[in-house]
Amino acid sequence: SLLEYKTKGKLQKQICQVALDHFEKQYTTELGEAWASVRDVLTYPLCWQYAILLNKFSPSAELENTLHVKGYHPAFPGSLPYLPASFKCYIRRTPGRFPAQKHQAGKLKEYYLLNAASLLPVLALEVKDGEDVLDLCAAPGGKSVATLQCASPGQFHCNEYDDLRSRWLKQTIESFIPDPLINLIMVSKLDGRHIGDLKPELYDKVLVDAPCSNDRSWLFSSDIQQATLRLIQRKELPYLQFQLLRSAIKALRPGGSLVYSTCTLSKAENSDVINLILNSCSNVMPVDITEMAKAVSQEFTFLSGMQQHELLVLPEKGRAWGPMYVAKLKKI
Ligand code: SAM
């Protein structure tokens, strides 16, 4: 039941029919007509795009020149609040991947390749210089690196529960962040569900980039067993996400805010989890992020009908970013 996916005679990734059937059913209900075009992007890796986030700690005029020549342009307009000129992310409308930079001992990397929608949770968090920040689920570290391109936090705590991924996170930070700034970053390997009790009311901003069902990669599950297992585990994710959010709220100072994000389209892991938090925690309120959504709407397509404190990026051809759900809450 695996569909072979061929281009130019070369065997490419294989779409997993079990996952596709499941998505087809769920997302036709949840997204309506929008699902068909999203599905076309997700199932066709040749139209996938990659953004290039420049590392302000290792600036390269030559790299920027190459990007201009290759038709790249800045992804974000200058009108976003708290976005310094040093924050540079390049994209282009045509698909394809810019070559990744190899690790070189003692040399900082010049750029990080990522899905441009991954930057929206970071922008929504609006970290300002001197604020104490917790990145609760941080590996491999894309959003940690992006946060440090936006501002210089007071304390920056990056946490990742998984052993192997935590090492990957450390490596990312070492490849992008120079001395002495790197000494301000604390990397921990805790269960994010306990951090609220361990570090109560310690942070101004918390990012909860939660473990979720990753729609893009699940469609290419290696076999039926893996896909079936993932679909079973999918049912348990909302409770884990709820617990991580509750912990994040505990870790926030009153007046502080958090951003919750996932890379799934699934309502059960997105709006439903946030609504449950809003209905069960009397010390949080939603924060309007429509201004940010409007400011970036040239490059991103959003699902319509969402509430003001949330957005869902829908991939489409030429703007193949997402899926990415973002919600912002404030602790009273
Ligand atoms: N923020 C990362 C980035 O931008 O590169 C991606 C994070 S990924 C979506 C979610 C991460 O949460 C995974 O690395 C996973 O291992 C981690 N995770 C899973 N359960 C966790 C828990 N209980 N506490 C903390 N992290 C957890």
Side-chain angles (χ1 to χ4, degrees), residues 22-301:
H22 186 92
F23 287 180
E24 194 76 48
K25 228 194 260 162
Q26 183 181 350
Y27 294 148
T28 303
T29 312
E30 291 181 9
L31 305 175
E33 282 175 6
W35 164 242
S37 59
V38 171
R39 181 194 54 209
D40 289 349
V41 174
L42 293 182
T43 54
Y44 190 58
L46 285 182
C47 73
W48 291 5
Q49 292 164 269
Y50 297 86
I52 298 156
L53 175 67
L54 301 196
N55 184 12
K56 71 173 180 183
F57 305 111
S58 181
S60 164
E62 195 186 323
L63 170 63
E64 279 199 76
N65 209 16
T66 306
L67 291 174
H68 284 300
V69 170
K70 288 185 180 285
Y72 283 86
H73 63 273
F76 299 101
S79 57
L80 280 168
Y82 311 115
L83 202 57
S86 57
F87 182 90
K88 288 179 182 167
C89 175
Y90 283 91
I91 53 173
R92 63 175 183 184
R93 288 286 165 99
T94 40
R97 190 200 279 262
F98 198 72
Q101 215 171 7
K102 294 223 170 67
H103 178 77
Q104 272 183 285
K107 198 173 177 292
L108 290 181
K109 289 193 181 180
E110 289 169 358
Y111 58 91
Y112 192 96
L113 297 179
L114 79 182
N115 185 318
S118 299
L119 294 170
L120 298 180
V122 176
L123 299 183
L125 199 58
E126 294 185 323
V127 174
K128 288 171 227 144
D129 289 350
E131 285 185 332
D132 296 326
V133 182
L134 167 63
D135 188 350
L136 193 67
C137 309
K143 295 181 190 69
S144 311
V145 166
T147 302
L148 290 163
Q149 306 299 318
C150 295
S152 310
Q155 214 209 109
F156 191 35
H157 179 177
C158 300
N159 179 68
E160 167 59 47
Y161 195 26
D162 183 90
D163 202 36
L164 206 73
R165 291 178 67 88
S166 158
R167 267 180 269 169
W168 189 7
L169 167 68
K170 269 204 173 123
Q171 206 177 61
T172 304
I173 291 171
E174 280 162 16
S175 316
F176 285 89
I177 312 302
D179 275 333
L181 185 62
I182 200 163
N183 300 317
L184 293 177
I185 304 169
M186 178 172 97
V187 179
S188 68
K189 230 178 59 185
L190 300 163
D191 182 338
R193 288 171 287 191
H194 301 147
I195 288 192
D197 289 325
L198 296 169
K199 311 255 179 199
E201 304 202 347
L202 215 70
Y203 303 97
D204 302 298
K205 300 279 164 74
V206 179
L207 177 63
V208 186
D209 188 34
C212 66
S213 37
N214 183 331
D215 295 349
R216 210 180 259 260
S217 81
W218 284 24
L219 273 170
F220 297 94
S221 299
S222 56
D223 53 51
I224 298 167
Q225 283 76 20
Q226 186 191 42
T228 311
L229 189 68
R230 281 174 164 177
L231 292 171
I232 292 169
Q233 287 166 347
R234 185 172 163 104
K235 297 200 184 82
E236 286 154 22
L237 284 165
Y239 186 54
L240 170 61
Q241 291 154 345
F242 175 77
Q243 288 176 302
L244 288 167
L245 271 167
R246 249 193 348 206
S247 168
I249 293 163
K250 279 190 190 163
L252 273 179
R253 292 188 177 120
S257 46
L258 72 81
V259 166
Y260 173 76
S261 53
T262 75
C263 57
T264 178
L265 299 161
S266 178
K267 191 169 159 285
E269 295 175 48
N270 296 339
S271 306
D272 289 356
V273 175
I274 290 296
N275 286 337
L276 191 60
I277 283 286
L278 285 169
N279 290 333
S280 60
C281 303
S282 55
N283 59 345
V284 283
M285 53 181 251
V287 178
D288 189 336
I289 54 169
T290 47
E291 278 303 312
M292 182 195 79
K294 222 192 289 163
V296 302
S297 59
Q298 253 218 304
E299 301 294 350
F300 297 90
T301 306

